[in-house]
């Protein structure tokens, strides 16, 4: 029998609003307050089926530039690392280039460093974030990650979908 998820949209919203902080601008250091449309998005994206499993295995969020996409993606990424109930979770920040993938990763790192509690849970390294108590980790990968063997992702946050090789080639 498939293992049931313990989380749904309300859990993601609660995690982001109580643990994730704004990393830039005048509100830097303040807890994130999701807008109503972002809460609806989290409820839809993390909806559960009657059997307790997630309704969707994939989700696509499209937003214009400078609308908080990386901040929202970072909150979701940290949720996957810390609060999704997956021991040994492998969470990957992926983009066409390693530099682009580091944008979400670096925002996650800053969120951890800005929070008074998260640094006690998450160890921050240059190339990854780790929760030692569960063995969960966030790593950065570029779009050639498909060439790497042995990955077992629990969650993948993929940025700039249009720039990936398979998308450009139409496959």
């Amino acid at each position: 029998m498939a293992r049931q998820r313990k989380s749904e949209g309300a859990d993601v919203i609660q995690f982001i609003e109580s643990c994730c902080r704004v990393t830039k601008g005048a509100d830097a250091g303040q807890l994130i307050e999701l807008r109503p449309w972002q809460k609806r998005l989290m409820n839809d994206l993390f909806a559960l089926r009657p059997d307790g499993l997630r309704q969707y295995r994939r989700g696509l969020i499209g937003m214009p530039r400078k609308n908080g996409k990386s901040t929202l993606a970072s909150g979701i990424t940290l949720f996957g690392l810390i609060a999704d109930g997956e021991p040994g979770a492998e969470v990957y920040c992926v983009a066409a280039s390693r530099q682009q993938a580091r944008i979400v990763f670096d925002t996650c790192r800053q969120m951890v460093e800005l929070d008074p509690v998260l640094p006690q849970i998450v160890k921050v390294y240059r190339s990854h974030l780790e929760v030692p108590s569960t063995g969960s980790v966030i790593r950065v990968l570029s779009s050639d990650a498909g060439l790497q063997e042995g990955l077992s992702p629990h969650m993948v946050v993929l940025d700039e979908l249009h720039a990936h090789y398979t998308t450009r080639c139409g496959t």
Side-chain angles (χ1 to χ4, degrees):
M1 180 172 181
R3 190 170 58 84
Q4 293 187 346
R5 291 273 169 234
K6 298 175 185 168
S7 59
E8 56 185 8
D11 297 324
V12 181
I13 293 165
Q14 194 273 331
F15 175 82
I16 291 173
E17 291 190 328
S18 64
C19 297
C20 298
R21 295 177 182 271
V22 178
T23 60
K24 295 180 181 177
D27 292 332
Q30 299 296 314
L31 286 170
I32 292 172
E33 186 175 330
L34 295 175
R35 295 186 170 120
W37 70 266
Q38 292 170 314
K39 291 179 181 182
R40 285 191 304 275
L41 179 62
M42 293 302 98
N43 282 322
D44 290 344
L45 188 61
F46 289 92
L48 299 178
R49 301 182 322 202
D51 64 3
L53 296 174
R54 291 218 172 107
Q55 183 171 351
Y56 304 109
R57 290 176 49 93
R58 294 185 183 112
L60 177 64
I61 301 171
M63 288 189 250
R65 292 174 51 95
K66 303 298 178 193
N67 276 280
K69 177 183 55 151
S70 294
T71 300
L72 184 60
S74 297
I76 293 169
T77 302
L78 284 174
F79 175 82
L81 175 73
I82 299 167
D84 202 17
E86 179 77 8
E90 294 179 29
V91 181
Y92 296 101
C93 299
V94 180
S97 73
R98 195 165 188 80
Q99 181 180 2
Q100 182 69 34
R102 285 200 65 91
I103 292 172
V104 170
F105 175 83
D106 287 341
T107 303
C108 288
R109 180 184 47 76
Q110 291 167 346
M111 286 180 177
V112 168
E113 291 170 346
L114 286 170
D115 191 75
V117 176
L118 292 182
Q120 298 168 31
I121 300 167
V122 180
K123 292 192 71 105
V124 176
Y125 298 97
R126 189 174 70 80
S127 63
H128 68 284
L129 303 179
E130 179 184 7
V131 178
S133 64
T134 64
S136 298
V137 65
I138 294 176
R139 295 191 190 281
V140 175
L141 298 174
S142 59
S143 62
D144 64 0
L147 303 174
Q148 299 183 31
E149 300 292 329
L151 301 180
S152 180
H154 167 64
M155 182 180 287
V156 175
V157 176
L158 188 141
D159 199 8
E160 304 292 339
L161 176 64
H162 68 278
H164 290 264
Y165 179 78
T166 56
T167 305
R168 289 193 311 260
C169 294
T171 58

